[in-house]
Amino acid sequence: MTETLSAVTELTPEACWDLLRSNQFGRLALTVGGEPEIFPINYVVQDGTLVFRTAQGTKLAALTVNDVVAMEIDGFDQTSGWSVVVKGQAHPAEWGADFEDAATAGVHPWVATRKHVFVRIVPRFVTGRSFVFGPEPGDD
């Protein structure tokens, strides 16, 4: 008997967090001037939140106007793939315990520029899916 795999499977919250912890690179989606924008970021998971670094500029300015963000990570191999989406609120970790905690998270800029601002994403929703790739066109 041949085992049939579901084409799309919802990931458990635990599986989503495992994938988030095992990766460092994601895409941050936010609104800039009324338009959606996507920025590549490197991040770490810290105490149920995501932390990344940035400098003064577009991302930081946009977060002062609208702190609602989404972040997505994904991966794949020859036969299957997965995607995790985090939706929540982002705020600069600017002072006190929040800044001190973020500074110990171990996130370092990938680009050789100074990025003194830590931003913490507090998730409201974490969802994910895994999926099996379909046959090549004409293979059916």
Side-chain angles (χ1 to χ4, degrees):
M1 179 173 208
T2 305
E3 183 179 327
T4 304
L5 297 175
S6 175
V8 178
T9 303
E10 294 292 322
L11 296 174
T12 65
E14 295 81 15
C16 291
W17 281 104
D18 287 345
L19 288 166
L20 286 164
R21 279 189 288 276
S22 70
N23 285 272
Q24 302 176 45
F25 176 78
R27 290 164 207 83
L28 180 71
L30 49 86
T31 303
V32 177
E35 295 292 328
E37 293 288 341
I38 298 175
F39 299 91
I41 61 169
N42 63 298
Y43 70 94
V44 297
V45 173
Q46 185 184 51
D47 300 325
T49 67
L50 306 172
V51 177
F52 68 93
R53 292 175 77 155
T54 193
Q56 298 294 329
T58 305
K59 284 189 293 277
L60 197 55
L63 290 174
T64 63
V65 176
N66 183 358
D67 65 354
V68 176
V69 300
M71 195 199 72
E72 187 262 350
I73 64 170
D74 54 33
F76 65 94
D77 60 23
Q78 294 296 322
T79 60
S80 64
W82 56 266
S83 176
V84 173
V85 174
V86 175
K87 294 179 183 177
Q89 293 179 288
H91 69 273
E94 295 181 299
W95 62 86
D98 194 23
F99 177 84
E100 292 170 15
D101 286 346
T104 65
V107 63
H108 304 285
W110 283 3
V111 178
T113 58
R114 295 190 181 271
K115 295 186 177 188
H116 296 292
V117 180
F118 294 97
V119 176
R120 186 178 303 279
I121 301 172
V122 179
R124 291 185 55 220
F125 304 100
V126 178
T127 59
R129 297 183 198 183
S130 63
F131 42 92
V132 177
F133 295 150
E136 291 291 327
D139 283 353
D140 37 335

